[in-house]
């Protein structure tokens, strides 16, 4: 019996090994065919942006053997991590997960790395791609030529190039949003957005005001408070759920193990992924009334987590009145959770003040709030996030029949899995509308999208087609599916709160509506039946 089991096991193992070799052979044959077709057609791809999306795409196209150019509006590789240099800038997803699975970094210095270390990672990853990048050059316009089945891409330099395919990696968070306050032009001090941080402005000895309590403020406030400022006044519209991050340093021994033990870092990465993924079910899904027992357990779990965080605020903030003002009344997940180990603690300092009355107007010396109090300030920092519509409409795109994406987007942009649009043949987006996350790493979505668009380009070349375009019916079905999936989610219920996830009508067009395993499954293969090839 033992010998029979051993034989069966050996046979099964042999079959698996043979299948792996066969699949590798097929993949190589497919890759060679794609490369040959690309060379014969002098196929050219235009990539827009040199952040994580653009650099990742460059590696994909290199592997495919396809010619491409990348255009970046800033002066170097990095995207948001190059542009944002405010004190404390960092990521609220752990670094071993906020990175590419094909380019693991065993030497992260801490669990939640700050901006400079993330920038160093992406620039190191981008070195082989650098010769393909043109910096300080923005894309102004892209026009689809139906006769040639090519895009005419106009650059800020005045150059116009022809591209068979466009891949955008501009993202949704790159155009700063600065609210228009009455009298803002009268302020005689210095004012700037966190996205446009003024390194030449010293804050030492200054009276500083910061407007907003989102992610950038949560990161910047503790650092500004320690920069020798005379005072730091935080203007809060609504409090944020500020959970502890439990950040920690990686010891040299741990880095050594990650580097030299095969699979250990990937195992840790998957542990982090599932830890974050569980949060989706805790934070975002509202208790179900259809399944009473499950709904009851889910409600109990959510209530328990909310109580823990409220207790954490009361414990960390010494002044009970301030602690009460810093405690949200809305459910977690309605707005982005902003973890920090030092933000709440900052309000225990004598020079840090919290203002919850709305801003009425600016004066030449500072800010006046609705309670008629004046707040004298030397520097005002806008930590007011980004213009989502302005970011998604980064340049003019004229597609089929001259119809523009801006017109179609209106105030509710849409894209099929954040990648494709029915008005734009041979056009793929990375980080397009509908893929914002509030619980996990957006780079996971980026890698899934790159796999998807790679298969789409391969299909285009292997079929000998000149264009591939999403069917409008597929877009409509996807939008209906997405709307249904958003139901019973806390981030889609207007009764809880407003957030930057929504447009002025309260429609949430930014969020991926379900878990990430679902996104991986949907994008693991290219669904050719939902596209027209011509």
């Amino acid at each position: 019996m033992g010998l029979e089991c051993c034989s069966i096991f050996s046979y099964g193992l042999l079959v698996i090994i043979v299948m792996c070799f066969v699949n590798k052979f097929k993949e190589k044959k497919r890759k060679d065919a794609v490369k040959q077709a690309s060379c014969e057609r002098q196929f050219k791809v235009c990539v827009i942006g040199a952040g994580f999306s653009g650099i990742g795409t460059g590696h994909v196209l290199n592997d495919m053997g396809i010619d491409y150019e990348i255009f970046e509006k800033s002066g170097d590789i990095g995207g948001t991590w190059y542009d944002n240099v405010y004190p404390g800038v960092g990521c609220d997803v752990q670094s071993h997960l906020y990175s590419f699975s094909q380019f693991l970094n065993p030497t992260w210095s801490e669990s939640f790395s700050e901006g400079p270390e993330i920038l160093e990672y992406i620039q190191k990853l981008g070195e082989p791609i650098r010769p393909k990048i043109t910096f300080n050059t923005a894309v102004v316009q892209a026009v689809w030529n139906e006769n040639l089945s090519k895009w005419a891409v106009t650059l800020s330099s005045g150059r116009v190039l022809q591209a068979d395919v466009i891949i955008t990696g501009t993202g949704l968070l790159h155009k700063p949003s600065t609210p228009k306050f009455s009298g803002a032009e009268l302020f005689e001090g210095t004012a700037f957005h966190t996205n446009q941080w003024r390194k030449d402005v010293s804050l030492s000895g200054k009276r500083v005001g910061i407007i907003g309590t989102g992610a950038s403020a949560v990161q910047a406030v503790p650092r500004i408070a320690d920069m020798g400022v005379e005072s730091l006044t935080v203007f809060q519209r609504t409090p944020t759920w500020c959970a502890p991050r439990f950040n920690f340093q990686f010891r040299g021994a741990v880095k050594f193990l990650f580097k030299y033990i095969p699979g250990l870092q990937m195992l840790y990465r998957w542990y982090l992924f599932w830890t974050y993924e569980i949060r989706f079910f805790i934070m975002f899904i509202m208790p179900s009334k259809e399944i009473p027992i499950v709904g009851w357990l889910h409600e109990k779990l959510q209530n328990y987590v909310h109580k823990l965080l409220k207790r954490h605020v009361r414990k960390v903030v010494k002044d009970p009145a301030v602690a009460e003002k810093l405690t949200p009344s809305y459910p977690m997940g309605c707005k982005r959770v902003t973890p920090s180990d030092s933000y709440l603690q900052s309000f225990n300092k004598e020079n840090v003040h919290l203002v919850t009355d709305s801003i009425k107007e600016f004066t030449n010396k500072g800010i006046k709030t609705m309670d008629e109090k004046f707040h004298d300030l030397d520097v005002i920092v806008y930590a007011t996030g980004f213009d989502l519509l302005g970011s998604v409409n980064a340049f003019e795109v004229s597609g089929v029949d001259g119809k523009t994406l801006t017109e179609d987007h209106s105030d509710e942009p849409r894209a099929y899995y954040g990648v494709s649009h029915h008005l734009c043949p041979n056009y793929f987006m990375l980080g397009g509308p509908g893929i914002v996350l509030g619980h996990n790493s957006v780079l996971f979505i980026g890698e899934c999208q790159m796999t998807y668009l790679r298969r789409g380009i391969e299909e285009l070349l292997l079929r000998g087609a000149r264009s591939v375009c999403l069917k409008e019916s597929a877009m409509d079905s996807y939008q209906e599916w997405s709307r249904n999936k958003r139901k019973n989610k806390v981030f889609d219920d207007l009764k809880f709160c407003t957030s930057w996830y929504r447009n002025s009508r309260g429609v949430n067009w930014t969020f991926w509506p379900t878990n990430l395993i679902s996104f991986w499954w949907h994008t693991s293969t290219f669904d050719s039946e939902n596209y027209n090839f011509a």
Side-chain angles (χ1 to χ4, degrees):
M1 184 68 177
L3 289 174
E4 290 180 1
C5 290
C6 186
S7 298
I8 293 172
F9 175 78
S10 299
Y11 177 75
L13 184 61
L14 179 62
V15 170
I16 292 173
I17 293 173
V18 170
M19 287 178 64
C20 287
F21 275 109
V22 169
N23 287 335
K24 281 189 176 182
F25 176 76
K26 287 182 177 179
E27 188 63 32
K28 185 180 183 305
K29 191 175 179 181
R30 180 183 178 92
K31 186 185 294 186
D32 290 342
V34 168
K35 187 174 182 179
Q36 182 178 350
S38 172
C39 290
E40 290 175 353
R41 289 174 53 171
Q42 296 184 324
F43 198 76
K44 183 70 172 286
V45 175
C46 171
V47 181
I48 304 171
F52 270 104
S53 295
I55 296 303
T57 299
H59 280 278
V60 169
L61 294 174
N62 278 347
D63 187 58
M64 295 175 71
I66 290 178
D67 188 26
Y68 65 95
E69 282 188 81
I70 299 178
F71 299 97
E72 168 56 51
K73 64 180 177 63
S74 298
D76 207 342
I77 293 169
T80 189
W81 299 107
Y82 177 81
D83 294 334
N84 288 275
V85 295
Y86 60 83
V89 61
C91 185
D92 55 13
V93 174
Q94 294 188 52
S95 301
H96 281 279
L97 187 57
Y98 189 78
S99 49
F100 286 132
S101 60
Q102 298 297 315
F103 303 97
L104 299 179
N105 175 24
T107 60
W108 290 113
S109 65
E110 54 187 332
S111 180
F112 293 89
S113 298
E114 294 197 352
E117 190 171 10
I118 298 173
L119 179 61
E120 182 183 355
Y121 168 81
I122 184 63
Q123 289 191 335
K124 183 178 180 181
L125 186 62
E127 279 307 312
I129 312 297
R130 188 177 289 274
K132 292 284 191 177
I133 306 174
T134 301
F135 294 106
N136 298 309
T137 303
V139 171
V140 177
Q141 184 186 53
V143 179
W144 174 248
N145 187 315
E146 197 80 42
N147 295 325
L148 298 177
S149 291
K150 289 180 183 288
W151 287 94
V153 182
T154 304
L155 307 176
S156 57
S157 62
R159 175 188 169 195
V160 179
L161 65 98
Q162 300 288 326
D164 293 279
V165 167
I166 289 178
I167 299 175
T168 67
T170 53
L172 294 177
L173 303 176
H174 64 87
K175 185 177 181 180
S177 173
T178 305
K180 295 181 179 179
F181 292 105
S182 175
E185 71 283 354
L186 302 175
F187 181 59
E188 295 175 354
T190 304
F192 52 86
H193 195 281
T194 51
N195 179 251
Q196 300 161 334
W197 189 264
R198 292 277 302 276
K199 287 185 176 182
D200 60 319
V201 177
S202 172
L203 300 186
S204 179
K206 302 288 181 63
R207 297 165 298 179
V208 181
I210 184 166
I211 302 173
T213 53
S216 56
V218 167
Q219 294 170 354
V221 164
R223 296 300 177 86
I224 295 175
D226 289 336
M227 295 174 72
V229 297
E230 178 182 321
S231 64
L232 174 59
T233 304
V234 181
F235 294 89
Q236 173 185 278
R237 185 173 59 180
T238 53
T240 182
W241 280 109
C242 187
R245 283 205 305 176
F246 302 112
N247 194 21
F248 58 87
Q249 301 284 325
F250 284 109
R251 296 176 180 270
V254 175
K255 297 177 186 178
F256 179 86
L257 294 174
F258 278 145
K259 186 174 182 178
Y260 292 107
I261 297 182
L264 181 61
Q265 192 176 352
M266 185 60 76
L267 186 64
Y268 180 59
R269 180 184 174 92
W270 276 109
Y271 160 75
L272 294 176
F273 175 85
W274 285 109
T275 301
Y276 280 106
E277 200 65 4
I278 289 170
R279 296 182 187 181
F280 180 87
F281 298 96
I282 296 176
M283 288 196 306
F284 295 148
I285 301 177
M286 295 165 62
S288 173
K289 296 180 181 179
E290 298 176 0
I291 311 176
I293 295 178
V294 174
W296 179 81
L297 288 172
H298 194 218
E299 185 174 14
K300 290 292 182 184
L301 182 60
Q302 282 190 338
N303 289 340
Y304 175 70
V305 173
H306 279 72
K307 286 179 181 178
L308 279 180
L309 287 180
K310 288 179 180 179
R311 192 183 308 159
H312 171 69
V313 177
R314 292 194 296 268
K315 180 181 178 180
V316 168
V317 182
K318 295 177 181 178
D319 187 329
V322 176
E324 183 65 27
K325 291 178 180 179
L326 289 168
T327 303
S329 58
Y330 56 86
M332 282 188 300
C334 179
K335 293 177 179 286
R336 186 173 180 88
V337 176
T338 52
S340 173
D341 294 327
S342 54
Y343 174 72
L344 295 173
Q345 292 85 338
S346 299
F347 292 94
N348 295 325
K349 298 180 178 181
E350 292 184 1
N351 65 335
V352 179
H353 313 289
L354 179 66
V355 174
T356 56
D357 285 282
S358 300
I359 294 173
K360 182 178 182 179
E361 61 184 0
F362 281 37
T363 69
N364 62 329
K365 296 297 183 181
I367 289 176
K368 182 180 181 181
T369 47
M370 287 296 183
D371 58 359
E372 299 299 323
K373 288 185 179 179
F374 286 93
H375 303 273
D376 290 334
L377 301 169
D378 302 306
V379 178
I380 295 175
V381 177
Y382 290 92
T384 47
F386 294 88
D387 175 1
L388 298 188
L389 286 175
S391 294
V392 77
N393 296 317
F395 55 94
E396 183 182 336
V397 181
S398 297
V400 176
D401 297 328
K403 297 177 182 176
T404 68
L405 268 187
T406 303
E407 292 171 344
D408 182 81
H409 284 334
S410 185
D411 67 344
E412 189 180 348
R414 52 183 180 159
Y416 187 73
Y417 298 122
V419 177
S420 306
H421 196 282
H422 64 277
L423 291 180
C424 298
N426 296 9
Y427 188 96
F428 300 98
M429 292 172 267
L430 293 168
I435 54 86
V436 168
L437 297 176
H439 73 288
N440 211 321
S441 173
V442 72
L443 293 189
F444 180 89
I445 277 190
E447 289 194 272
C448 292
Q449 290 180 319
M450 288 176 205
T451 298
Y452 185 80
L453 69 86
R454 173 177 185 151
R455 292 303 185 191
I457 294 173
E458 287 177 346
E459 283 290 308
L460 174 67
L461 289 168
L462 293 176
R463 289 177 182 231
R466 297 202 304 167
S467 67
V468 54
C469 188
L470 181 73
K471 296 177 181 178
E472 187 172 4
S473 58
M475 174 70 90
D476 293 339
S477 297
Y478 173 76
Q479 289 299 111
E480 181 63 25
W481 174 86
S482 184
R483 280 191 290 268
N484 289 333
K485 283 293 182 181
R486 284 200 299 267
K487 292 178 180 177
N488 204 40
K489 304 293 192 306
V490 68
F491 53 71
D492 204 53
D493 199 315
L494 277 170
K495 70 181 179 182
F496 293 126
C497 69
T498 58
S499 70
W500 62 265
Y501 301 152
R502 306 172 184 277
N503 61 20
S504 59
R505 295 182 291 113
V507 177
N508 185 340
W509 57 268
T510 63
F511 236 71
W512 170 248
T514 184
N515 59 76
L516 284 191
I517 295 301
S518 174
F519 191 87
W520 166 80
W521 177 257
H522 285 294
T523 56
S524 59
T525 57
F526 187 76
D527 47 343
S528 303
E529 66 277 5
N530 287 324
Y531 289 81
N532 290 318
F533 289 85

